[in-house]
Amino acid sequence: MSEFLFGSHVISRSVVFFQSRLSYAFVNRRPILPGHVLVSPKRVVMRFADMTPDEVKDLFIATHQIVPAIERHYRGTATNIAIQDGKEAGQSVQHIHVHIIPRKQGDFENTDDVYKKLQSHDKDDSTKFRSPEDMAQEASELAELFK
Ligand code: AMP
C-alpha cells in the first residue's frame, strides 16, 4: 500500500514509521510536544467500538511496542496515551487513533495542561502545519527504532 487513509486525510508512506498487520503509526503534522505521534487501524474505523477484537488487539500491541521506543528516543520520563473517542470527547478526525505523547518534567507549566492542548492544538490556526519534508525526516528516524 503506497498510502493510508486517516479519515478523509491521505497519509503518505513517507510519514509512516511503523506498520503491523492491522495498524500503522505516523508522525503528527501539529504535534503538541516533540514526539507526539498517532497509531491507527489501517481500516478506516470511526469509533473505538467499531474495531474488531483483532484490530483492538493489534492496535494495543502496536502501541505497547511504540510507547517505550518513542519515550526513550525523545528522552521522556513518562508518556500520555490518549484516545478521544467521538466528537464530544474531542475527536476531530473520524478515524480512531491513539495519541502517544512523550513527557518530561516542566514540559508544560501544569502537567495536566496537555489535555487542554489536546483539545485545541489542531483547531488553533496559529500553529502552522509542519512541512512534508520535516515530517518525512522524523518518520525515517523513528522507523530505525523498529528495525
Ligand atoms: P483528534 O482531535 O483526537 O481527532 O486528533 C487528531 C490528530 O490528528 C491531531 O493531533 C492532528 O494534529 C492530527 N492530524 C490531523 N490530520 C493529520 C495529517 N494529515 N497528518 C498528520 N497528523 C494529522
Side-chain angles (χ1 to χ4, degrees):
M1 210 186 291
S2 65
E3 50 199 20
F4 293 97
L5 279 180
F6 177 45
S8 57
H9 303 260
V10 175
I11 302 295
S12 146
R13 273 289 287 273
S14 62
V15 305
V16 172
F17 64 88
F18 177 98
Q19 269 196 75
S20 57
R21 189 167 65 86
L22 300 174
S23 313
Y24 71 107
F26 56 107
V27 304
N28 203 315
R29 67 181 180 179
R30 263 182 177 160
I32 291 182
L33 286 169
H36 176 191
V37 298
L38 302 166
V39 196
S40 257
K42 288 179 176 171
R43 188 167 71 93
V44 178
V45 185
M46 187 171 155
R47 296 289 308 276
F48 190 75
D50 297 334
M51 282 188 286
T52 65
D54 250 13
E55 284 170 327
V56 175
K57 209 186 297 174
D58 191 278
L59 184 73
F60 276 90
I61 290 172
T63 302
H64 184 255
Q65 282 179 262
I66 295 166
V67 165
I70 291 285
E71 190 178 296
R72 211 176 309 118
H73 187 71
Y74 290 93
R75 293 180 168 58
T77 49
T79 300
N80 285 108
I81 302 163
I83 296 179
Q84 308 203 101
D85 181 26
K87 185 166 171 273
E88 293 72 26
Q91 182 179 17
S92 56
V93 176
Q94 314 228 311
H95 185 161
I96 197 77
H97 49 281
V98 180
H99 292 261
I100 296 177
I101 309 168
R103 302 293 307 273
K104 52 179 75 152
Q105 182 121 37
D107 52 8
F108 279 113
E109 195 175 325
N110 301 301
T111 303
D112 288 356
D113 284 353
V114 72
Y115 297 110
K116 280 191 211 146
K117 196 74 183 166
L118 200 53
Q119 293 308 310
S120 64
H121 76 290
D122 50 343
K123 293 157 193 100
D124 165 12
D125 286 336
S126 65
T127 331
K128 281 207 287 191
F129 294 151
R130 297 164 70 201
S131 70
E133 295 75 23
D134 185 34
M135 291 170 72
Q137 171 62 37
E138 184 186 24
S140 79
E141 266 174 47
L142 296 183
E144 291 297 315
L145 307 177
F146 302 99
K147 283 187 174 157

